[in-house]
């Protein structure tokens, strides 16, 4: 999927060509294999999209508006969509040019008119035969081409033109780039960058299991289906029931990584820089090189190239040696002086270009590995140089030296976005700058904590210091100057940055023109939280008081407002559901705001309107904010809320606000519809008197009540409509009863009384307006004429006061907040648990659990409540996996909180000892873990002279060494109680493991990932009572944990969604085209590597598979697996799923042993991540069992299938159709083994389930009964034969029994069924008819005539089987 346009850097001032080799390693990567570039381009469809893509743009314009209408039509969306109607063809067709490089044959290169000349440079620097050239120009008919010109703008460049590669003279900059590039080529197979988490490298192991590339090479190796030679025995530790969880197989050894040594040393010489007179001879710099043959040479880089000089280590003699071997490229020089270099460099490059490009392209954000093998530390001049220059990587080559991050971030936002190409360019620029900024901010935050950056206020105490590095501002997550004293001190100061980041994310997504936010990255490193922000121009020169012209710098005591800000923020108020409101300032004047008071507006020296401190963008979560004199709804109280929390910054999540508003919208529609129906009925019954109506709206309430399965947010407590006036917290339903039922009780007070036409108002239809008004009031809408719910984020903020005249409004807002808090507890948590029960949500580890909570708007602080809810669920046994993952998450998060403060007291020299001691206390059964204090030689003798400016929290502090396991576990239990309000009785790790059925490797993985620890990859003995599991040598590194904004590719996402919708309607071809188009756009914005591209590839592969194109499915799924490994991590739950899909397509392609290896890998990862007891394990085991059945390993197959049966029975219930299918699969294996009695037994079980669930007539039941008959016949035949043998002995005439190995087709059919892919065999004609039918139904549906969905769609595309 690597289109060559992936890696153009953002079109921002820093467009620096040299930034590319790293990002762009994949650009032309495929070409090197010698295939023409053509093949590559076709696959990504990058050259030449046919014009029919244009129709698509108009096509998906409706989806967005449909979604946004519920909230009024949100202007931002509407505006953008209208432009999508323009017909745009993204790319013109490509053409081929010839390239002639010195010393090589001319070759063809496929290019597209959009590309820049720069990209041809990239391709040449990556090709096997030209990769060693960096300093050259491309010439057409003797004219040098401009690097940044687009190919279409170059005169005379056309199909078949010849471009000459011409060597150019070097400059110091070019020479350094050249040396760096050669070093990158030498290191291209070395995984140490991935282990060390640098340069956006990350690990991938797929190629070890597939023996290189899948595609055709996989086919060629195995001629015919030589089943006999496949070794199918799984490693012992992944067999069902195995208790062993080894770590070492997590990173299988790759034989390619044993690096072939090309050079012993390549480093900058100590003679640099050249003295003046040598500069005038053209010397640029000197290198010192030791070849494999132990030859020590000194090399001069001059303007003309590289040559040997006569210097030695101690004498400087810059004269050329004899012979000097002057060469334009360093590789040519070294090839002449070292035969070993020549041989090894060539084979290294061959290997490099054979690797899949996705194994080596940089990821957009750094992924860290929590385990690593012992890697030798080799000498590396470039790494050494990078470490001691404050600049980042290539940045010394950018004009203007350091990057002005703020300018870049804001300029990209200002790019035009009227049509698709403009939006693509803009989104790509935004994404590129964001990922660069995140990398720079991370590097800076680490430098700050490691003490390598000077503070801007060095006189202050360390926790209060602030830093500036590389044009980024850094502050620590401590409560400086009692800023947060009212809100919870340090706890609040720790929570504020993530809240602020969520605010930045939300405003960024709304993307209002003219409103700017700061680049924000939050980094947790070594126990400290660092916030990195881009700097508003001019803010450092003036005091904050003068610059803030909107909002408040003291939490609402003094407040100011500004017309322009109100106008800008008003545009965001609808999508973000923020209500415009008034507050009082210190002079008791009312001030209009459209955000929380903390949100500050500052106009920078660049004239842009910035908003910052967005930590209260979303309203407070009253369940965790006890307020004197306020009562929560009975629903919340029943669950034990409100609860005390560490700080007062607990907010509701944006996802919850969205869900709540949607929920209210449905309520609003139901109420309005019921009242209108009632009115119509009243008209017919000739206008009865008032009570009829109020009853009707009461009926509306009741029916609404009834539709609320969980009783969410609707009080059923107050049955008597007049009694609620006493209750302190009027509930939603009671509130609405007030508007409708009061009149009957207290005489006609409400306008409801006039509803029967006593007062004919001149409005168009007073009745319907009335209905809307009632419904609006009932659901708490801020407008009386349309549905519009917004929240006031300042409610319950300490120190904020509201004007008297708005108190009615404020009361309503308070009620709305209570309702939202109750909605979370009564609706969202039960719906999450319900989704887990019917397996539509399947968390496998902490990260996926957190994601599942967040998608429903549940904050992780509710984890204790969620677990309690699960505990009380009747079907608790079917939620065991969920409960266990929840407990692990809760324990490791508590441990993380403790670890954070623990680390702050550790000085750098004791870090590995402290971390290993903590892990011993946390995981090791060894009862008295003793810390290894650093040996005396390093402990300073002169302790008394404490310097003030240590690293934050530094000091010769050895308090950490006194931690004991029992103390740590007591603290964990206390933390669980105080933070999550969850009771955990545990005094030791073994007790917890025993009680909740956890495994220590899973705990180790979770804590390492959460805290950034990297440990040595080896087997740890956690259970030894004689020695601790970890020593300080086992702790390899500690990485930062980074949170940042993920800019989205909006257009691509719309295409993707429309494609999914088409597929669901059964239009595979159209769906496939849309998704291909989406893939192109994703590539255009994100480059080649991204989570969303991964999802796109997975769906494409599935479509290819269903449409019968197995090789294409294999190729796309291979990319999806590689990408998931690289972007999400090698053992991320998503990666496990991708491995399973790939195994299926491998099997369909006849690569059985590969399919098995992939499934074994998936099972191993699954065991490591969450253990054997998980519903998803049943799917893996069914897959493994089926493939083993196919290769006639019956006994092994049974072990896996019977395990799958057990797990399915446990999690789906004994009566489920999944269980019936499991029984059938087991029966088939028994049949193959000729054990007919067991086969019959299982098939009978299956038959019974089908009969009870589907009835006698259903085809499944019939199939099963047929199979039973067949088995019975076989069993009888076998018995006859046996009897015959007993009777007549050896001369019996035996009927030949039919023992057949299962056919591959039948195995594949079963595999498809369990993986949720159902084909319905149809002829072409049937398909045409079906399509026509579906279209007809759709037209009907659009006209509103037909209610039924298209049942005839040709197949189901769900990730799980649509049975049950």
């Amino acid at each position: 999927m690597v289109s060559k346009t992936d890696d153009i850097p953002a079109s921002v001032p820093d467009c620096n060509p040299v930034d590319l080799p790293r990002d762009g390693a994949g650009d032309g990567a495929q070409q090197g294999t010698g295939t023409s570039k053509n093949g590559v381009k076709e696959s990504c469809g990058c050259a030449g999209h046919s014009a029919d893509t244009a129709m698509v743009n108009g096509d998906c314009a409706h989806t967005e508006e449909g979604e946004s209408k519920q909230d009024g039509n949100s202007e931002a969306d509407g505006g953008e969509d209208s432009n999508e109607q323009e017909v745009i063809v993204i790319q013109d067709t490509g053409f081929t040019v010839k390239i002639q490089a010195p010393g090589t044959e001319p070759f063809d290169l496929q290019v597209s008119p959009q590309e820049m000349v720069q990209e041809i440079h990239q391709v040449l620097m990556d090709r096997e035969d030209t990769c060693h050239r960096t300093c050259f120009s491309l010439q057409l008919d003797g004219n040098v081409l401009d690097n940044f010109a687009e190919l279409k703008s170059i005169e005379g460049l056309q199909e078949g033109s010849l471009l000459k590669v011409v060597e150019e003279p070097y400059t110091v900059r070019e020479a350094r780039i050249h040396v760096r590039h050669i070093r990158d080529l030498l290191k291209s197979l070395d995984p140490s960058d991935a282990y060390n988490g640098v340069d956006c490298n990350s690990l991938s192991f797929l190629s070890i299991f597939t023996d290189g590339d899948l595609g055709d090479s996989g086919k060629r190796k195995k001629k015919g289906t030589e089943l006999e030679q496949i070794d199918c025995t799984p490693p012992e530790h992944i067999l069902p029931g195995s208790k062993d969880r080894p770590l070492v197989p997590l990173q299988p050894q790759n034989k390619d990584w044993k690096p072939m040594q090309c050079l012993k040393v390549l480093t900058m010489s100590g003679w640099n820089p050249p003295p003046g007179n040598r500069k005038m001879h053209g010397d640029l710099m000197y290198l010192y090189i030791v070849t494999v043959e132990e030859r020590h040479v000194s090399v001069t880089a001059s303007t003309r190239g590289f040559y040997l000089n006569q210097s030695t280590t101690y004498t400087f003699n810059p004269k050329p040696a004899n012979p000097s071997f002057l060469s334009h490229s360093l590789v040519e020089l070294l090839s002449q002086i070292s035969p070993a270099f020549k041989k090894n460099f060539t084979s290294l490059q061959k290997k490099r270009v054979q690797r899949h490009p996705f194994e080596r392209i940089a990821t957009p954000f750094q992924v860290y590995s929590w385990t690593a093998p012992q890697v030798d530390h080799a000498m590396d001049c470039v790494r050494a140089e990078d470490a001691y220059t404050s600049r980042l990587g290539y940045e010394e080559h950018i004009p203007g030296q350091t990057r002005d991050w703020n300018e870049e971030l804001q300029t990209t936002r200002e790019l035009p976005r009227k049509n698709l190409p403009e939006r693509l360019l803009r989104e790509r620029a935004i994404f590129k700058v964001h990922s660069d900024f995140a990398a720079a901010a991370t590097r800076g935050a680490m430098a700050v904590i490691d003490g390598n950056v000077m503070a801007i206020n060095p006189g202050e105490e360390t926790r209060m210091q602030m830093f500036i590095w590389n044009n980024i501002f850094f502050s620590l997550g401590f409560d400086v100057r009692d800023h947060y004293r009212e809100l919870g001190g340090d706890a609040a100061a720790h929570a504020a940055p993530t809240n602020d980041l969520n605010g930045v994310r939300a405003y960024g997504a709304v993307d209002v023109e003219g409103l700017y936010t700061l680049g924000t990255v939050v980094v947790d490193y070594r126990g400290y939280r660092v916030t990195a922000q881009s700097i508003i121009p001019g803010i450092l020169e003036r005091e904050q008081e003068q610059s803030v012209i909107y909002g408040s710098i003291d939490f609402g005591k003094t407040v100011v407002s500004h017309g322009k800000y109100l106008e800008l923020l008003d545009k965001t108020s609808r999508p973000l559901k923020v209500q415009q409101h008034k507050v009082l300032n210190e002079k008791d004047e009312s001030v209009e705001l459209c955000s929380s008071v903390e949100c500050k507006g500052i106009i920078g020296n660049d004239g842009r309107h910035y908003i910052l401190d967005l930590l209260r963008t979303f309203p407070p979560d009253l369940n965790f904010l006890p307020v004197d004199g306020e009562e929560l709804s009975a629903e919340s109280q029943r669950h034990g809320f409100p609860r005390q929390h560490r700080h007062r910054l607990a907010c509701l999540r944006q996802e919850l606000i969205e869900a709540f508003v949607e929920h209210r919208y449905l309520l609003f529609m139901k109420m309005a519809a019921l009242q209108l129906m009632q009115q119509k009925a009243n008209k017919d019954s000739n206008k009865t008197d008032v009570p009829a109506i109020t009853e009707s709206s009461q009926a509306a309430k009741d029916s609404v009540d009834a539709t609320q399965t969980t009783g969410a947010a609707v009080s059923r407590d107050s049955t008597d409509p007049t009694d609620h006036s006493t209750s302190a917290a009027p509930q939603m339903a009671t509130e609405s009863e007030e508007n409708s039922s009061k009149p009957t009780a207290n005489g006609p007070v409400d306008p409801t009384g006039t509803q029967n036409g006593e007062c004919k108002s001149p409005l168009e239809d007073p009745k319907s307006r009335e209905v809307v008004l009632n419904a609006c009031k009932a659901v708490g809408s801020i407008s009386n004429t349309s549905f519009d719910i917004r929240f006031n984020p300042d409610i319950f903020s300490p120190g904020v006061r509201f004007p008297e005249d708005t108190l009615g409004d404020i009361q309503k807002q308070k009620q709305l907040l209570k309702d939202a808090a109750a909605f979370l507890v009564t609706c969202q948590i039960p719906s999450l648990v319900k989704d887990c029960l019917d397996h539509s949500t399947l968390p496998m580890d902490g990260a996926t659990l957190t994601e599942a909570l967040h998608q429903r708007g549940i904050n992780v602080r509710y984890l204790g409540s969620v677990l309690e809810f699960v505990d009380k669920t009747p079907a608790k046994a079917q939620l065991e996996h969920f409960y266990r993952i929840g407990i692990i998450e809760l324990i490791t998060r508590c441990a993380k909180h403790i670890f954070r403060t623990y680390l702050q007291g550790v000085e750098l020299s004791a870090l590995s000892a402290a971390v290993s001691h903590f892990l011993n206390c946390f995981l090791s059964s060894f009862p008295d873990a003793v810390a290894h204090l650093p040996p005396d030689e390093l402990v300073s003798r002169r302790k008394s002279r404490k310097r003030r400016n240590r690293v934050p929290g530094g000091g010769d502090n050895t308090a950490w060494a006194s931690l004991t396991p029992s103390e740590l576990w007591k603290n964990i239990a206390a933390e669980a109680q105080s933070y999550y309000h969850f009771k955990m009785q545990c005094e030791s790790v073994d007790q917890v493991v025993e009680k909740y059925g956890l495994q220590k490797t899973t705990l180790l993985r979770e804590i390492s990932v959460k805290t950034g620890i990297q440990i040595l990859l080896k087997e740890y003995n956690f259970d030894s009572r004689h020695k601790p599991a970890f020593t300080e040598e086992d702790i390899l590194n500690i990485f930062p944990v980074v949170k940042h904004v993920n800019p989205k590719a909006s257009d691509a996402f719309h295409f993707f969604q429309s494609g999914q919708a088409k597929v669901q309607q059964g239009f595979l071809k159209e769906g496939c085209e849309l998704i291909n188009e989406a893939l192109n756009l994703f590539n255009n914005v994100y480059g080649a590597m991204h989570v969303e591209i991964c999802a796109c590839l997975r769906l494409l592969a599935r479509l290819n598979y269903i449409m019968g194109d197995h090789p294409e499915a294999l190729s796309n799924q291979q990319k999806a697996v590689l990408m998931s490994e690289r972007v999400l991590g090698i053992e991320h739950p998503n990666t496990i799923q991708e491995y399973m899909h790939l195994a299926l397509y491998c099997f369909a392609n006849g690569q059985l042993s590969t399919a098995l290896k992939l499934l074994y890998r998936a099972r191993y990862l699954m065991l490591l991540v969450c253990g054997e007891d998980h519903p998803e394990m049943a799917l893996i085991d069914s897959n493994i069992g089926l493939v083993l059945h196919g290769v006639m390993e019956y006994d092994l197959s049974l072990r896996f299938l019977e395990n799958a049966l057990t797990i399915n029975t446990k999690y789906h219930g004994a009566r489920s159709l999944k269980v019936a299918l499991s029984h059938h699969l087991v029966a088939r294996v028994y049949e193959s083994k000729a054990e007919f009695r067991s086969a019959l037994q299982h098939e009978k079980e299956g038959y019974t389930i089908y009969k009870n669930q589907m009835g006698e007539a259903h085809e499944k039941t019939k199939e099963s009964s047929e199979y039973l008959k067949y088995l019975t016949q076989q069993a009888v035949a076998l018995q006859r034969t046996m009897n015959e043998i007993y009777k007549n002995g050896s001369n019996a005439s035996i009927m030949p029994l039919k023992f057949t190995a299962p056919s591959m087709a039948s195995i594949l059919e079963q595999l498809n069924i369990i993986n949720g892919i159902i084909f319905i065999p149809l002829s072409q004609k049937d398909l045409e008819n079906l399509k026509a039918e579906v279209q007809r139904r759709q037209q009907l549906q659009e006209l509103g005539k037909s209610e039924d969905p298209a049942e005839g769609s040709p197949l189901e595309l769900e990730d799980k089987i649509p049975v049950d």
Side-chain angles (χ1 to χ4, degrees), residues 101 115 196 459 570 848:
E115 307 184 6
N196 296 330
D570 188 50
T848 40

Side-chain angles (χ1 to χ4, degrees), residues 4 145 508 519 643 724 752 879 888 911 1177 1324 1338 1354 1363:
K4 285 225 330 299
L145 305 186
R643 290 176 174 165
H724 57 261
T752 354
L879 287 166
I888 290 177
L911 204 53
M1177 196 50 106
Q1324 203 45 47
Q1338 271 178 320
V1363 294

Side-chain angles (χ1 to χ4, degrees), residues 730-866:
Q731 287 250 314
M732 185 204 86
T734 48
E735 212 187 356
S736 40
E737 280 157 12
E738 227 165 294
N739 311 338
S740 51
S741 327
K742 262 280 182 66
T744 52
N746 313 352
V749 191
D750 257 35
T752 354
T754 60
Q755 205 169 325
N756 289 315
E758 285 103 320
C759 90
K760 280 270 179 265
S761 88
L763 299 167
E764 74 278 39
D765 177 3
K767 299 218 177 103
S768 50
R769 304 209 55 168
E770 191 55 56
V771 167
V772 171
L773 174 77
N774 279 345
C776 279
K777 279 189 176 165
V779 297
S781 166
I782 59 169
S783 137
N784 284 336
T785 50
S786 69
F787 176 83
D788 190 356
I789 287 188
R790 301 187 197 184
F791 292 86
N792 174 344
D794 281 331
I795 303 270
F796 299 127
S797 288
V800 177
R801 299 168 308 139
F802 298 102
E804 290 295 319
D805 55 349
T806 60
L807 289 181
D809 241 6
I810 298 300
Q811 224 20 68
K812 269 195 197 157
Q813 277 293 336
K814 287 184 175 176
Q815 189 48 46
L816 201 54
L817 279 181
K818 291 172 184 171
D819 293 345
F823 171 73
L824 194 157
V825 180
T826 53
C827 241
Q828 295 305 83
I829 293 181
S831 93
L832 167 74
V833 173
K834 185 185 148 299
D835 286 347
C836 288
L837 264 177
D838 60 26
H839 301 287
S840 52
T841 298
L842 263 183
M844 284 191 210
D845 68 343
T848 40
L849 172 69
T850 309
E851 205 176 300
L853 289 168
H854 286 171
Q855 273 168 359
R856 291 164 185 74
I858 305 168
N859 311 68
V860 177
R861 57 173 171 271
Y862 284 95
L863 188 54
S865 316
V866 173

Side-chain angles (χ1 to χ4, degrees), residues 32-53:
T33 41
T35 54
S36 80
K37 185 146 173 244
N38 216 337
V40 181
K41 287 308 276 249
E42 295 315 318
S43 65
C44 69
C46 202
H49 293 282
S50 49
D52 62 18
T53 54

